[in-house]
Each structure stands twice: as structure tokens, then as C-alpha cells.
């Protein structure tokens, strides 16, 4: 059985939070990086990751030339979630 198929079988019945926890702490410990934007869906993901392992590296993807308000928002998210 391939690694991918093994992961699919082990995670088939998992909801999002247990699935992320499994990937970050068991399947790929210390080998996970998360990419996200500053949109609402990403904030939910960041909150989950902060609860699992706040030391998980986060790469914010965005267009060049962010507004100062966007940079402040990102800084507040990082601080508030402890990332």
C-alpha cells in the first residue's frame, strides 16, 4: 500500500481539526508548513493550527504592495494566535 493510500485510509472519517492534528503531529511532525492569505477562511485555519502547534511555520501569500492596514491585520493575527 502506498503512503498516500495509507494516509487516506487513516484519515477518511476525520473532521478538519483531527485531520490537521494528525498531519501536523503524527504524519509529518516538524515537516509541515502552512500557506494562507489574510481572508476569513485562512483565519479559521490559523486558529486551528495555533491550537495544535503554534510553532508550525506560516507563509502568508499575498500580492505585492499590501496596504498598511493589511500588514497591521497580519501582525495582530500572529500576535493574538501566538504564531
Amino acid at each position: 500500500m502506498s503512503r498516500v493510500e495509507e494516509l487516506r485510509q487513516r484519515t477518511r472519517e476525520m473532521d478538519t481539526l483531527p485531520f490537521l492534528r494528525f498531519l501536523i503531529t503524527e504524519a509529518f511532525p516538524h515537516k509541515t508548513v502552512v500557506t494562507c492569505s489574510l481572508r476569513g477562511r485562512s483565519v479559521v485555519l490559523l486558529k486551528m493550527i495555533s491550537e495544535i502547534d503554534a510553532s508550525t511555520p506560516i507563509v502568508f501569500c499575498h500580492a505585492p504592495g499590501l496596504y498598511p492596514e493589511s500588514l497591521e491585520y497580519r501582525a495582530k493575527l500572529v500576535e493574538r494566535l501566538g504564531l
Side-chain angles (χ1 to χ4, degrees):
M1 173 184 320
S2 73
R3 175 85 165 130
V4 171
E5 188 55 38
E6 178 187 337
L7 290 171
R8 280 186 186 150
Q9 284 186 3
R10 289 193 63 189
T11 61
R12 184 163 297 170
E13 302 296 321
M14 290 182 185
D15 289 330
T16 305
L17 189 58
F19 177 68
L20 284 172
R21 181 173 282 114
F22 170 76
L23 292 176
I24 292 170
T25 63
E26 293 181 43
F28 306 103
H30 309 291
K31 296 178 184 176
T32 306
V33 63
V34 175
T35 61
C36 68
S37 66
L38 294 176
R39 300 182 72 176
R41 289 176 279 190
S42 291
V43 174
V44 173
L45 177 65
L46 290 172
K47 173 66 174 148
M48 287 188 245
I49 291 168
S50 73
E51 293 173 1
I52 296 166
D53 182 3
S55 69
T56 301
I58 308 293
V59 175
F60 289 93
C61 302
H62 53 79
L66 281 178
Y67 292 108
E69 296 84 0
S70 296
L71 295 171
E72 289 175 30
Y73 178 62
R74 181 180 67 189
K76 284 180 184 179
L77 280 175
V78 169
E79 181 181 344
R80 185 169 288 168
L81 297 175
L83 298 169

